[in-house]
Amino acid sequence: MKCETITLSNKRDQLTNTGIICKLSKKMTITIPKKIRKRLSLMAGDEVAISMIAKSNELIIRKIIEDTLDNKMIINEKGAIRIPIELRRFLSLENGDLFLLNLKDHGPFISLKKLSK
């Protein structure tokens, strides 16, 4: 089993700010916009790994291509992904929280940085 560690310093150097803001829904899901899903070849039914960088209130979402110890979730037909309860608790996430969507093409993964209220 292989685990990937994403370090904050080298991750920052390769992120693209999409300018897209995502909102945590009542059902505790975040919908990834269609153009981003298409760019990263994410489709309904795909498994994604969700991890976090606690120091910066960031969620990391990446398509699973091999075994992982991260939380596994399935993308629904509308592109929504449920955020696991342990991550919601740790980051104190609530309905309506906003996230800035950043993109790393080489990897690839999505970084969702929680915006302060």
Coordinates of all heavy atoms in Angstrom, one line a residue, residues 65-117:
I65 N -6.1 6.2 -7.6 CA -5.5 5.3 -8.7 C -4.8 4.1 -8.1 O -4.4 3.2 -8.8 CB -4.6 6.1 -9.6 CG1 -3.5 6.8 -8.9 CG2 -5.4 7.1 -10.5 CD1 -2.5 7.5 -9.7
E66 N -4.7 4.1 -6.7 CA -4.1 3.0 -6.0 C -4.5 3.0 -4.6 O -5.2 4.0 -4.2 CB -2.5 3.1 -6.1 CG -2.0 4.4 -5.6 CD -0.5 4.6 -6.0 OE1 -0.1 4.1 -7.0 OE2 0.1 5.4 -5.3
D67 N -4.2 2.0 -3.8 CA -4.7 2.0 -2.4 C -4.2 3.2 -1.7 O -3.1 3.7 -1.9 CB -4.1 0.7 -1.7 CG -4.8 -0.5 -2.2 OD1 -6.0 -0.4 -2.7 OD2 -4.3 -1.6 -2.0
T68 N -5.0 3.6 -0.7 CA -4.7 4.8 0.1 C -5.3 4.6 1.5 O -6.3 3.9 1.7 CB -5.3 6.1 -0.5 OG1 -4.9 7.2 0.3 CG2 -6.8 6.1 -0.7
L69 N -4.7 5.3 2.4 CA -5.3 5.3 3.8 C -6.2 6.5 4.0 O -6.8 6.6 5.1 CB -4.1 5.3 4.8 CG -3.2 4.1 4.8 CD1 -2.1 4.3 5.8 CD2 -4.0 2.8 5.1
D70 N -6.3 7.4 3.0 CA -7.2 8.6 3.1 C -8.6 8.1 3.1 O -8.9 7.0 2.7 CB -6.9 9.6 2.0 CG -5.5 10.2 2.1 OD1 -5.0 10.4 3.3 OD2 -5.0 10.6 1.1
N71 N -9.5 9.1 3.5 CA -10.9 8.8 3.4 C -11.3 8.7 1.9 O -10.9 9.5 1.1 CB -11.7 10.0 3.9 CG -11.6 10.1 5.4 OD1 -12.2 9.3 6.1 ND2 -10.8 11.1 5.9
K72 N -12.1 7.6 1.6 CA -12.6 7.4 0.2 C -14.0 7.8 0.1 O -14.8 7.4 0.9 CB -12.4 5.9 -0.1 CG -11.0 5.4 -0.2 CD -11.0 4.0 -0.6 CE -9.6 3.4 -0.6 NZ -9.6 2.0 -1.0
M73 N -14.3 8.5 -0.9 CA -15.7 8.9 -1.2 C -16.0 8.7 -2.7 O -15.0 8.7 -3.5 CB -15.9 10.4 -0.8 CG -15.7 10.7 0.7 SD -16.6 9.5 1.7 CE -17.7 10.6 2.5
I74 N -17.2 8.7 -3.0 CA -17.7 8.5 -4.4 C -18.3 9.8 -5.0 O -19.0 10.5 -4.3 CB -18.7 7.4 -4.6 CG1 -18.2 6.1 -3.9 CG2 -19.2 7.2 -6.0 CD1 -17.2 5.4 -4.7
I75 N -17.9 10.2 -6.2 CA -18.5 11.4 -6.8 C -19.9 11.0 -7.3 O -20.0 10.0 -8.0 CB -17.6 11.9 -8.0 CG1 -16.2 12.3 -7.5 CG2 -18.3 13.0 -8.7 CD1 -15.3 12.7 -8.6
N76 N -20.9 11.8 -7.0 CA -22.2 11.5 -7.5 C -22.4 12.1 -8.9 O -21.5 12.7 -9.4 CB -23.3 12.0 -6.5 CG -23.5 13.5 -6.4 OD1 -23.1 14.2 -7.3 ND2 -24.2 13.9 -5.4
E77 N -23.6 11.9 -9.4 CA -23.9 12.3 -10.8 C -23.9 13.8 -11.0 O -23.7 14.3 -12.1 CB -25.2 11.7 -11.3 CG -26.5 12.2 -10.5 CD -26.7 11.5 -9.2 OE1 -26.1 10.5 -8.9 OE2 -27.5 12.0 -8.4
K78 N -24.0 14.6 -9.9 CA -23.9 16.0 -10.0 C -22.6 16.6 -9.7 O -22.4 17.8 -9.7 CB -25.0 16.7 -9.1 CG -26.4 16.3 -9.5 CD -27.4 17.0 -8.6 CE -28.8 16.6 -9.0 NZ -29.8 17.2 -8.1
G79 N -21.6 15.7 -9.4 CA -20.2 16.1 -9.1 C -20.0 16.5 -7.7 O -19.0 17.1 -7.3
A80 N -20.9 16.1 -6.8 CA -20.8 16.4 -5.4 C -20.1 15.3 -4.6 O -20.2 14.1 -5.0 CB -22.2 16.6 -4.8
I81 N -19.3 15.7 -3.6 CA -18.5 14.8 -2.8 C -18.9 15.1 -1.3 O -18.8 16.2 -0.9 CB -17.0 15.0 -3.0 CG1 -16.7 14.8 -4.5 CG2 -16.2 14.0 -2.1 CD1 -15.3 15.3 -4.9
R82 N -19.3 14.1 -0.6 CA -19.6 14.3 0.8 C -18.2 14.4 1.6 O -17.3 13.6 1.4 CB -20.4 13.1 1.4 CG -20.7 13.3 2.9 CD -21.5 12.1 3.4 NE -22.9 12.2 2.8 CZ -23.9 13.0 3.3 NH1 -23.7 13.8 4.3 NH2 -25.0 12.9 2.7
I83 N -18.2 15.4 2.5 CA -17.0 15.6 3.3 C -17.1 14.7 4.6 O -18.1 14.9 5.3 CB -16.8 17.1 3.7 CG1 -16.8 17.9 2.4 CG2 -15.5 17.3 4.5 CD1 -15.7 17.6 1.4
P84 N -16.2 13.8 4.8 CA -16.3 12.9 6.0 C -16.4 13.7 7.3 O -15.8 14.8 7.5 CB -14.9 12.1 5.9 CG -14.5 12.3 4.5 CD -14.9 13.6 4.1
I85 N -17.2 13.1 8.2 CA -17.5 13.8 9.5 C -16.2 14.1 10.3 O -16.1 15.2 10.9 CB -18.5 13.0 10.3 CG1 -19.0 13.8 11.5 CG2 -17.9 11.6 10.8 CD1 -20.3 13.2 12.1
E86 N -15.2 13.2 10.3 CA -14.0 13.5 11.1 C -13.3 14.8 10.5 O -12.7 15.5 11.3 CB -13.1 12.3 11.2 CG -12.6 11.8 9.9 CD -13.5 10.7 9.2 OE1 -14.6 10.6 9.6 OE2 -13.0 10.1 8.3
L87 N -13.3 15.0 9.2 CA -12.7 16.2 8.7 C -13.5 17.4 9.0 O -13.0 18.5 9.3 CB -12.5 16.0 7.2 CG -11.5 14.9 6.7 CD1 -11.3 14.9 5.2 CD2 -10.2 15.0 7.4
R88 N -14.9 17.3 8.9 CA -15.7 18.4 9.2 C -15.5 18.8 10.7 O -15.5 20.0 11.0 CB -17.2 18.0 9.0 CG -17.5 17.7 7.5 CD -19.0 17.6 7.2 NE -19.8 16.9 8.2 CZ -20.3 15.7 8.0 NH1 -20.1 15.0 6.8 NH2 -21.1 15.1 8.9
R89 N -15.4 17.8 11.6 CA -15.2 18.2 13.0 C -13.9 18.8 13.2 O -13.8 19.8 13.9 CB -15.3 16.9 13.8 CG -16.8 16.4 14.0 CD -16.8 15.2 14.9 NE -18.2 14.8 15.0 CZ -18.5 13.5 15.3 NH1 -17.6 12.6 15.6 NH2 -19.8 13.2 15.5
F90 N -12.8 18.2 12.7 CA -11.5 18.8 12.9 C -11.3 20.2 12.4 O -10.7 21.0 13.0 CB -10.4 17.8 12.2 CG -9.0 18.2 12.6 CD1 -8.5 17.7 13.8 CD2 -8.2 19.0 11.9 CE1 -7.2 18.0 14.2 CE2 -6.9 19.3 12.2 CZ -6.4 18.8 13.4
L91 N -11.9 20.5 11.2 CA -11.8 21.8 10.6 C -13.0 22.7 11.0 O -13.1 23.8 10.5 CB -11.7 21.7 9.1 CG -10.5 21.0 8.5 CD1 -10.6 20.8 7.0 CD2 -9.2 21.8 8.9
S92 N -13.8 22.2 11.9 CA -15.0 23.0 12.4 C -15.8 23.5 11.2 O -16.2 24.7 11.1 CB -14.6 24.2 13.2 OG -13.9 23.7 14.4
L93 N -16.1 22.6 10.2 CA -16.9 23.0 9.0 C -18.4 23.0 9.3 O -18.9 22.2 10.1 CB -16.6 22.0 7.9 CG -15.2 21.9 7.4 CD1 -15.1 20.9 6.3 CD2 -14.6 23.2 7.1
E94 N -19.1 24.0 8.7 CA -20.5 24.1 8.9 C -21.2 24.4 7.6 O -20.5 24.8 6.6 CB -20.8 25.4 9.8 CG -20.2 25.2 11.2 CD -20.4 26.5 12.0 OE1 -20.9 27.5 11.4 OE2 -20.1 26.5 13.2
N95 N -22.5 24.1 7.5 CA -23.2 24.4 6.3 C -23.0 25.9 5.9 O -23.0 26.8 6.7 CB -24.7 24.2 6.7 CG -25.6 24.6 5.5 OD1 -25.3 24.5 4.4 ND2 -26.8 25.1 5.9
G96 N -22.7 26.1 4.7 CA -22.5 27.4 4.1 C -21.1 27.9 4.1 O -20.8 29.0 3.5
D97 N -20.1 27.1 4.7 CA -18.7 27.5 4.6 C -18.3 27.6 3.2 O -18.7 26.8 2.3 CB -17.8 26.5 5.4 CG -17.9 26.7 6.9 OD1 -18.3 27.7 7.4 OD2 -17.4 25.8 7.6
L98 N -17.4 28.5 2.9 CA -16.9 28.8 1.5 C -15.5 28.3 1.4 O -14.7 28.5 2.3 CB -17.1 30.2 1.1 CG -18.5 30.8 1.2 CD1 -18.5 32.3 0.9 CD2 -19.4 30.1 0.2
F99 N -15.2 27.8 0.2 CA -13.8 27.3 -0.1 C -13.4 27.9 -1.4 O -14.1 27.9 -2.4 CB -13.8 25.8 -0.2 CG -14.1 25.1 1.1 CD1 -15.4 24.9 1.5 CD2 -13.1 24.7 2.0 CE1 -15.7 24.3 2.7 CE2 -13.4 24.1 3.2 CZ -14.7 23.9 3.5
L100 N -12.1 28.3 -1.5 CA -11.5 28.7 -2.8 C -10.9 27.4 -3.4 O -10.1 26.7 -2.8 CB -10.4 29.7 -2.5 CG -9.6 30.2 -3.8 CD1 -10.6 30.8 -4.8 CD2 -8.5 31.1 -3.4
L101 N -11.3 27.1 -4.6 CA -10.8 25.9 -5.3 C -9.5 26.2 -6.1 O -9.5 27.1 -6.9 CB -11.9 25.5 -6.3 CG -11.7 24.1 -6.9 CD1 -13.0 23.5 -7.2 CD2 -10.9 24.2 -8.2
N102 N -8.5 25.5 -5.7 CA -7.2 25.6 -6.4 C -7.0 24.2 -7.1 O -7.5 23.2 -6.7 CB -6.0 25.9 -5.5 CG -6.2 27.3 -4.9 OD1 -6.1 28.3 -5.6 ND2 -6.4 27.4 -3.6
L103 N -6.2 24.2 -8.1 CA -6.0 23.1 -9.0 C -4.5 22.8 -9.2 O -3.7 23.7 -9.4 CB -6.7 23.3 -10.3 CG -6.8 22.2 -11.3 CD1 -7.6 21.1 -10.8 CD2 -7.4 22.8 -12.6
K104 N -4.2 21.5 -9.0 CA -2.8 21.1 -9.4 C -3.0 20.1 -10.5 O -3.6 19.0 -10.4 CB -2.1 20.4 -8.2 CG -0.7 19.9 -8.6 CD 0.0 19.3 -7.4 CE 1.3 18.8 -7.9 NZ 1.5 17.4 -7.5
D105 N -2.5 20.4 -11.7 CA -2.7 19.6 -12.9 C -1.8 18.3 -12.8 O -2.2 17.3 -13.3 CB -2.3 20.4 -14.2 CG -3.4 21.4 -14.5 OD1 -4.6 21.1 -14.3 OD2 -3.1 22.5 -14.9
H106 N -0.6 18.5 -12.3 CA 0.3 17.3 -12.2 C 0.1 16.6 -10.9 O 0.4 17.1 -9.9 CB 1.8 17.8 -12.4 CG 2.0 18.6 -13.7 ND1 2.0 18.0 -14.9 CD2 2.2 19.9 -13.9 CE1 2.2 18.9 -15.8 NE2 2.3 20.0 -15.2
G107 N -0.5 15.5 -11.0 CA -0.8 14.8 -9.8 C -2.0 13.9 -10.0 O -1.9 12.7 -10.0
P108 N -3.1 14.5 -10.4 CA -3.7 15.8 -10.2 C -4.5 15.8 -8.9 O -4.9 14.7 -8.4 CB -4.5 16.1 -11.4 CG -5.1 14.7 -11.7 CD -4.0 13.7 -11.3
F109 N -4.7 17.0 -8.3 CA -5.6 17.1 -7.2 C -6.2 18.5 -7.1 O -5.7 19.4 -7.8 CB -4.9 16.6 -5.9 CG -3.8 17.6 -5.4 CD1 -4.1 18.7 -4.7 CD2 -2.5 17.2 -5.5 CE1 -3.1 19.6 -4.2 CE2 -1.5 18.1 -5.1 CZ -1.8 19.2 -4.4
I110 N -7.2 18.6 -6.3 CA -7.9 19.8 -6.0 C -7.6 20.2 -4.6 O -7.7 19.4 -3.7 CB -9.4 19.7 -6.2 CG1 -9.7 19.3 -7.6 CG2 -10.1 20.9 -5.8 CD1 -11.1 18.8 -7.8
S111 N -7.3 21.4 -4.3 CA -7.2 22.0 -3.0 C -8.3 22.9 -2.7 O -8.6 23.8 -3.5 CB -5.8 22.8 -2.9 OG -5.9 23.6 -1.7
L112 N -9.0 22.7 -1.6 CA -10.2 23.6 -1.2 C -9.7 24.3 0.0 O -9.7 23.7 1.1 CB -11.4 22.7 -1.0 CG -12.0 22.1 -2.2 CD1 -13.1 21.1 -1.8 CD2 -12.6 23.1 -3.2
K113 N -9.4 25.6 -0.1 CA -9.0 26.4 1.1 C -10.2 27.0 1.7 O -10.9 27.8 1.0 CB -7.9 27.4 0.6 CG -7.6 28.4 1.7 CD -6.1 28.4 2.0 CE -5.7 29.4 2.9 NZ -5.6 29.0 4.3
K114 N -10.4 26.8 3.0 CA -11.5 27.4 3.6 C -11.3 28.9 3.8 O -10.3 29.3 4.2 CB -11.7 26.7 5.0 CG -12.9 27.2 5.8 CD -13.1 26.6 7.1 CE -14.2 27.2 7.9 NZ -14.3 26.6 9.3
L115 N -12.3 29.6 3.4 CA -12.3 31.1 3.5 C -12.8 31.5 4.9 O -13.8 30.9 5.4 CB -13.1 31.8 2.4 CG -12.6 31.4 1.0 CD1 -13.5 32.0 0.0 CD2 -11.2 31.9 0.8
S116 N -12.2 32.5 5.5 CA -12.7 32.9 6.8 C -14.0 33.7 6.6 O -14.2 34.3 5.6 CB -11.7 33.7 7.5 OG -11.2 34.8 6.7
K117 N -14.8 33.6 7.7 CA -16.2 34.2 7.6 C -16.1 35.7 7.9 O -15.3 36.2 8.6 CB -17.1 33.5 8.5 CG -17.5 32.1 8.1 CD -18.5 31.5 9.0 CE -18.9 30.2 8.5 NZ -20.0 29.6 9.2

